Amino acid sequence: MNQKTFYHIIEWAVALAACVFLGYKLVTFEDYPALWESLRGMAWQHYLALGLCVALMPVNMAIEAWRWQTLMNEGVNELTSERMAFSEAQRQVYYSKLAGLITPWRLGEYPARGVLMGEPVWPRVLSMGAVGSATMTAAIVIAGVVALAFSPSVMAQLGDSYLYALAAVILLLAIAFALAPKALKKFAEVNQQLLFRSLAQSLIRLLCWCVQLALVLWALGAVTGDGLLVMGYGLPIYYLLVTITPNVPIAEVGVRGAWAIVVFGSMNAALAGVLLWVINTLLPCLGWFFFRKK
């Protein structure tokens, strides 16, 4: 068996496993009656908001492809001059959704992108994957911490233990940013300019997530009246809590729903979190079958 055939087998094994997992989650989901009830009571404006949220899914994926293309092109060391096209970055990003879905803490996302390259680029891929994960996490933490400053009620619910854990995460991110240029020098060219550019791109992607969540929350009636003001700073807090809470994909839907209730104080907010998970996870997984090469 040659290397190309081996990678092709892995590619389809991951895709099959992810499809089986998604089917299992859809079959075992217990809140369909509540979800249908919420959808049935919506006006046409609410359906329009949901449609706009779905339309933003490929925008969200395009931003991630832009981040990945930037990391792979600007992080290339002196040993190679190859460049990644945006179309190839998109193909890898959609496929990595499948791998991330069936691996703990989404650890399979970046190795899956290496599988699609079909060549020995693992040190470079994993190095840039670490940078991409760190900058995305840093963007979520920065926005979430700023928003927490305006939400003493949520801070009180979290307690000191969570704040200590958050402080530890911030310290680890600061150390990682400081050491990355020297630690990854053997595999890629990582400098402060690349780190801050990836951080800026990550903030743009987080903004897209927040807009999507706001649209779903409003469409399902999870926030009304004064809650609309709370939603403004609740959105980055929600993503902070989802990111810092330890979870694996099989429990991710429940984690998102639980934190949505804490932040937005509504059962419909839990449904909004689940629905957005479907839009930004299920649809990209299915989308890979249209992006893959023959």
Side-chain angles (χ1 to χ4, degrees), residues 51-292:
L52 182 55
C53 179
V54 173
L56 283 173
M57 182 277 290
V59 175
N60 164 37
M61 297 299 288
I63 296 171
E64 175 58 16
W66 176 40
R67 282 191 346 116
W68 183 235
Q69 182 191 31
T70 299
L71 289 171
M72 292 302 291
N73 287 345
E74 296 189 16
V76 173
N77 60 23
E78 65 273 11
L79 300 179
T80 178
S81 60
E82 62 187 28
R83 308 287 290 178
M84 176 180 287
F86 181 74
S87 58
E88 176 60 21
Q90 274 210 307
R91 185 174 77 100
Q92 293 182 18
V93 164
Y94 274 87
Y95 178 67
S96 67
K97 274 286 187 180
L98 290 163
L101 189 68
I102 59 173
T103 52
W105 303 286
R106 300 186 179 279
L107 293 177
E109 284 199 6
Y110 292 106
R113 299 178 190 185
V115 166
L116 288 193
M117 292 181 186
E119 53 185 275
V121 293
W122 294 106
R124 191 169 136 231
V125 169
L126 296 180
S127 296
M128 291 298 95
V131 172
S133 295
T135 53
M136 191 71 242
T137 301
I140 292 171
V141 169
I142 291 170
V145 168
V146 171
L148 272 178
F150 296 93
S151 183
S153 61
V154 175
M155 289 185 67
Q157 290 183 68
L158 295 177
D160 292 340
S161 58
Y162 186 88
L163 297 180
Y164 291 147
L166 183 57
V169 170
I170 293 173
L171 178 61
L172 290 174
L173 285 172
I175 294 173
F177 272 82
L179 298 180
K182 183 177 291 186
L184 301 178
K185 186 175 182 180
K186 182 179 179 181
F187 310 116
E189 293 293 332
V190 180
N191 52 45
Q192 295 300 322
Q193 182 180 0
L194 177 60
L195 289 173
F196 283 109
R197 181 171 181 180
S198 182
L199 178 61
Q201 292 172 324
S202 300
L203 286 169
I204 294 173
R205 191 181 187 206
L206 176 60
L207 176 61
C208 182
W209 288 348
C210 289
V211 172
Q212 285 185 291
L213 181 56
L215 289 168
V216 177
L217 286 169
W218 181 75
L220 294 184
V223 287
T224 56
D226 294 339
L228 293 173
L229 298 175
V230 175
M231 183 173 66
Y233 56 77
L235 297 171
I237 292 175
Y238 168 78
Y239 283 110
L240 172 68
L241 297 176
V242 168
T243 300
I244 303 302
T245 304
N247 67 83
V248 293
I250 196 167
E252 185 177 11
V253 176
V255 170
R256 289 177 178 272
W259 280 129
I261 294 174
V262 169
V263 176
F264 302 108
S266 166
M267 286 302 297
N268 276 11
L271 294 176
V274 172
L275 188 56
L276 187 58
W277 180 87
V278 171
I279 292 171
N280 280 346
T281 301
L282 174 59
L283 295 184
C285 285
L286 297 177
W288 173 75
F289 294 98
F290 300 94
F291 275 95
R292 69 174 300 274

